[in-house]
């Protein structure tokens, strides 16, 4: 599996630009981490502050520099508005498994943005990183997230894989194998 990235590659779709997180994204990250709808499904408390958001961006940069994570800001091509994020992490290089995680501000949900972003990241994961399997761990209560995964070809799996999530109610496992 190829983890020889020195920076976050820019990925584009028809409507979206997926780019590296920037320091100036702290207000958008705070908004995302303060969204009660999003937080309900990711097991995160609604206690974000602007300082927490700044620290989170530094934490992601640190994980990226240690090659433990790739993290994209999902932005609109039209106006560069921050919509959400998608990340690859939990790299299991021996078994060529990567976990995908994602979140979208609730005001942008149900508009096809996440499906569009995930397609680009999945293509990158299989074609550039050469992963064999992508895992995702949504709450089964998050019908929208599960629906997106199924639409993209993910299937339910009972194996726990390398699930490191805490506080996510009714967590379940979905996988997508390289074709």
């Amino acid at each position: 599996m190829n983890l020889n990235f020195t920076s976050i590659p820019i990925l584009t779709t028809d409507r979206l630009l997926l780019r590296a997180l920037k320091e100036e994204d702290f207000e958008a990250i705070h908004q995302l981490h303060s969204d009660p709808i999003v937080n309900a499904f990711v097991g995160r408390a609604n206690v974000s502050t602007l300082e927490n958001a700044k620290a989170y961006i530094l934490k992601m940069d640190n994980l990226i520099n240690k090659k433990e994570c790739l993290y994209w800001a999902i932005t609109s091509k039209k106006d560069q508005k921050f919509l959400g994020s998608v990340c690859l992490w939990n790299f299991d290089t021996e078994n060529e498994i990567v976990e995908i995680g994602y979140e979208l501000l609730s005001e942008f949900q149900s508009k096809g943005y996440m499906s569009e972003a995930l397609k680009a990241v999945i293509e990158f994961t299989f074609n550039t990183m050469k992963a064999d399997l992508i895992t995702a761990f949504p709450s089964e209560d998050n019908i929208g997230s599960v629906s997106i995964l199924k639409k993209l070809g993910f299937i339910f799996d009972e194996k726990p894989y390398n699930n490191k999530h805490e506080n996510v109610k009714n967590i379940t496992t979905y996988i997508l194998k390289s074709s």
Side-chain angles (χ1 to χ4, degrees), residues 2-9 64 67-70 91 129:
N2 177 15
L3 296 179
N4 293 325
F5 43 86
T6 54
S7 63
I8 301 298
I64 290 162
K67 300 192 184 304
E68 294 178 12
C69 168
L70 287 169
F91 302 139
M129 290 183 70

Side-chain angles (χ1 to χ4, degrees), residues 35-164:
D35 190 317
I37 295 169
V38 173
N39 288 342
F41 292 123
V42 298
R44 183 172 51 224
N46 281 328
V47 294
S48 181
T49 65
L50 291 175
E51 290 307 311
N52 289 352
K54 290 175 184 177
Y56 182 81
I57 291 170
L58 290 174
K59 176 183 172 182
M60 291 301 104
D61 282 345
N62 197 19
L63 291 172
I64 290 162
N65 289 333
K66 295 191 310 188
K67 300 192 184 304
E68 294 178 12
C69 168
L70 287 169
Y71 190 100
W72 288 271
I74 303 170
T75 63
S76 167
K77 268 187 181 176
K78 183 172 67 176
D79 58 11
Q80 291 73 52
K81 183 154 181 66
F82 180 95
L83 309 178
S85 66
V86 61
C87 69
L88 297 173
W89 68 301
N90 243 344
F91 302 139
D92 177 348
T93 54
E94 183 178 324
N95 296 300
E96 299 181 328
I97 300 173
V98 175
E99 180 180 341
I100 195 165
Y102 47 90
E103 50 191 350
L104 197 64
L105 286 164
S106 55
E107 66 192 273
F108 301 111
Q109 293 176 6
S110 301
K111 294 176 173 39
Y113 292 126
M114 190 53 75
S115 293
E116 198 172 316
L118 290 179
K119 283 180 190 174
V121 173
I122 289 166
E123 182 179 316
F124 172 83
T125 305
F126 288 141
N127 296 340
T128 303
M129 290 183 70
K130 305 294 185 197
D132 188 49
L133 183 77
I134 301 173
T135 59
F137 301 105
S139 165
E140 66 184 26
D141 301 332
N142 190 342
I143 296 165
S145 181
V146 171
S147 176
I148 290 169
L149 292 172
K150 288 179 177 178
K151 181 173 127 184
L152 294 173
F154 282 76
I155 58 170
F156 174 78
D157 195 333
E158 293 197 17
K159 275 178 67 177
Y161 292 91
N162 194 16
N163 179 351
K164 296 182 179 179

